[in-house]
Structures are given as structure tokens and as C-alpha cells.
Amino acid sequence: EEIQELSEDSFKKHPALFKEIKRGSLKPQILWLPIHTKNKQTMGLWLERWHQKPWTAGEIDILSFLAQAYGSAWEKFLPKVPIKQVSKKPAFIISALLLMSLFLVEVPLRIVGSCEVVGKDPVVMTAPLDGIIKQVVVKPGQYVQEGDLLFIYDTRLPEQSYKVAQKQVEVTESELHRAMAMTFQDKKQGLSEVAILRETLEKDKLGLQKSEQELLMAKVLSPTSGVVLLDSPEKWRGNPVQLGELVLKVSDPSETKISIWIPEDDNIALDSSKQTRIMLNVSPEETFEGKLDYISSYGDVNEKGIPGFKAEANWVKTPENAKMGLKGTAVLYGEDVSMFYWIVRRPWTT
């Protein structure tokens, strides 16, 4: 505990060790400098001066200051609260037990994605023919009955084609009557011409029927009752369309499902047997349950430019206020993992 020159009395418990040190030509004079940190001996310096040169009192005084400086410097590296002292506290023991329990308790891994209520099986209304749409007469979200008018074509060109086809039928019929009258003068040649004109008349009548059908198709009616799903009616006015081009959708408002967008980093192996929790923005205090039905096997980018995967879920029990277009949050569940992994997965990924 004190600065001193070590002598044989310092090795009473190990006299043989002192003799071993003194053996040989060096004959060291040993000075022991204990180093204290926080009023407790932590370590010490063993200094040797050879060839039996003694330590002077002045040297010992200087070295004592050095030992104090070493002790002060060493305190900077010590924890403010000793580990042994902390490990004995109840809070440390409880914390250690809680940390261990995080590895033992298993919870289902979950992810959160944005969702939207969409029609379950909407009727897709495509352009029935090539042409120009004159007007979309319905509005987004409007409820229509079966047979209601949805949109109409510009009929100027189809009407002109119908008049031309009608006139062509009349001309061919006149020529056929003339040829039938000619058979009385030249039977062989007249019958040949009559056969050709009859075929031509059938062709012209088919053309007339086609033009008439196009005029009828210029007014597109709803095949079912439901709500109109449409972005903007105005953008279709005067817009040329091709056969089969999507114009709008009609969906039964009572038949809905949930479209879910899963971020790319959260595309974990989901458990379809576990129900999906749905929380709509209009009623965040309520939670609805859904059954995962589909997850796309390829990535895409949504309207916000976020890469991810599309999924769909059906309601376990359809809520009364589940209107199409409502947005919210969907919570999906994967395999069971330890609570520790559940907590650190996000920071670990980052």
C-alpha cells in the first residue's frame, strides 16, 4: 500500500522468490510504487536499479508524484459505476432477465403497408369500336342501373357510312332487277349476271348491317347496376379510341376487396393462414379483418414512385362503411420470430 524498497522482509511468505531475484550479477535494488485510483490500490510499478545502486530519497519523492499522476490518468478510463457494483443491483439483474426473455418469447413478424378499398369483380367497359367519344355522360362515383347510358360516340362518320351503304344496296338491287329482265332476251348471259349481282347484293346488305350495328353501338349502355369507376369524364370528350381500349368500370358497391401495397424492403414470407388487420383512415378507431388472397411475384412502382409488390385480401366480414376508394393501412403477418429479432430487424436493415 505504500512506496518502499523491497527487502527480504517483504517476501516473508515467499523467501525463496527473494533469493532467486537477488541471485546473479545484477543484484537489483527494487522499488515498489503502488498506484491508487479512487482511494484504492489498482496496480503498481516494480522498478529495478542494478549493481546494488540504492534509491535516494529525492528520487523516491519524485516517483511518488509520478505514481499519483498515473493514478489520476487511469481514472479517466474507468467506468463511472464499477461493473461489479452494477451487476449486483436489482435493476441490472431484472434488465438482464428481460433481455434474455426477448430471445425466448416468440411473436409473429409483421409488416405494414398502405391499402385501398376496390371493387371485387368490376365490369370493365372498353371501347366497342374505333372512333371518337363525343361525351361521357356519367360522373365518377355515380350509381347507375342496368341499361343506363354511359358514354356516346360522335356519330357523324358512322351515319355517313350508313347512308353510303344504304345507297349501295339500292343501286345493287336496281341492277339486279335490270339483269333479271334481260334474261328474257339472252337467258344464258342474263342468268350469269343475275348470280353475280345476287352475291354482290348480299355483300352490300352485310355492309349495311355493319353500319347499322355501329350506329347502335355508338351509345354504350351499362350491362349491370353499380358505381362508376372513372378518373375524369372531361378527358374523354373528343378523344379518339381504339377497339378494346379501357374507358371506365362499373362495380357493385357491396362487393369490395382490399388492394395492398407492400414496400420492397418488407416483402417477407407472409403467412396466408393469419388474418390481415385493416385500419381505414376515415375510422382509425376500428380494426377490420381480411384474408390474404394474392401477392404478386414481381415488383412494380406505384403512383408515388415507391417500388414494391401488390397484394389483395378479401374481407372476413364486409364492413358497412367500406366504400370504394377509401384508403388506410394494412398489417400483415409472417412467421414467428423472437421478440429480439422483431425489435432489431428494422434498425439492423438500416
Side-chain angles (χ1 to χ4, degrees), residues 22-283:
K22 289 290 186 177
R23 184 182 300 169
S25 62
L26 294 179
K27 306 293 183 181
Q29 298 292 324
I30 305 166
L31 181 66
W32 171 251
L33 274 77
I35 296 175
H36 295 80
T37 56
K38 296 182 179 181
N39 300 320
K40 184 180 179 181
Q41 183 181 349
T42 306
M43 63 192 76
L45 282 177
W46 173 297
L47 303 179
E48 295 182 3
R49 174 168 279 176
W50 301 333
H51 307 296
Q52 294 185 343
K53 285 188 66 176
W55 294 92
T56 66
E59 291 171 338
I60 293 174
D61 289 340
I62 294 174
L63 290 173
S64 66
F65 285 109
L66 180 65
Q68 294 176 18
Y70 282 167
S72 299
W74 188 254
E75 286 184 4
K76 305 293 185 182
F77 297 94
L78 295 178
K80 293 182 179 180
V81 181
I83 296 177
K84 291 182 178 179
Q85 183 179 347
V86 173
S87 62
K88 294 179 181 179
K89 290 186 176 181
F92 176 81
I93 298 174
I94 294 173
S95 300
L97 292 174
L98 288 175
L99 181 62
M100 292 176 60
S101 67
L102 293 180
F103 291 91
L104 301 176
V105 178
E106 289 195 344
V107 293
L109 186 62
R110 71 172 205 165
I111 61 171
V112 178
S114 59
C115 67
E116 181 180 359
V117 179
V118 298
K120 192 170 185 178
D121 291 306
V123 177
V124 178
M125 301 302 300
T126 58
L129 49 95
D130 295 341
I132 298 175
I133 291 181
K134 183 178 181 180
Q135 184 183 6
V136 175
V137 299
V138 293
K139 298 179 180 180
Q142 179 181 337
Y143 187 85
V144 295
Q145 299 285 351
E146 182 178 353
D148 286 352
L149 182 63
L150 298 177
F151 59 92
I152 55 177
Y153 278 82
D154 187 337
T155 58
R156 288 176 294 180
L157 188 59
E159 285 175 352
Q160 188 66 27
S161 299
Y162 177 76
K163 291 177 181 179
V164 171
Q166 194 175 36
K167 192 65 177 177
Q168 184 63 43
V169 170
E170 293 175 358
V171 171
T172 305
E173 285 179 342
S174 298
E175 290 182 355
L176 179 59
H177 293 154
R178 180 189 58 79
M180 292 177 67
M182 290 292 295
T183 56
F184 294 103
Q185 298 178 4
D186 188 345
K187 186 175 181 180
K188 184 176 180 180
Q189 184 177 358
L191 290 174
S192 176
E193 187 176 356
V194 166
I196 294 173
L197 288 173
R198 280 178 175 170
E199 292 294 328
T200 303
L201 181 61
E202 288 297 322
K203 178 183 176 182
D204 292 342
K205 285 183 177 180
L206 289 175
L208 179 61
Q209 290 178 4
K210 179 177 179 294
S211 298
E212 186 179 8
Q213 186 67 24
E214 287 180 350
L215 277 175
L216 294 175
M217 295 171 65
K219 293 184 178 182
V220 180
L221 308 179
S222 176
T224 184
S225 300
V227 174
V228 175
L229 305 178
L230 175 67
D231 290 334
S232 174
E234 296 300 326
K235 78 172 185 178
W236 292 104
R237 181 174 293 178
N239 188 39
V241 292
Q242 295 180 338
L243 176 66
E245 186 176 348
L246 175 64
V247 179
L248 55 84
K249 297 178 182 179
V250 179
S251 180
D252 186 349
S254 63
E255 294 292 330
T256 59
K257 61 182 178 181
I258 310 103
S259 177
I260 305 171
W261 186 258
I262 301 174
E264 187 178 36
D265 293 340
D266 286 333
N267 190 26
I268 63 173
L270 297 173
D271 190 347
S272 58
S273 64
K274 296 176 181 176
Q275 293 182 350
T276 302
R277 293 171 57 209
I278 309 297
M279 289 155 285
L280 300 177
N281 295 338
V282 294
S283 54

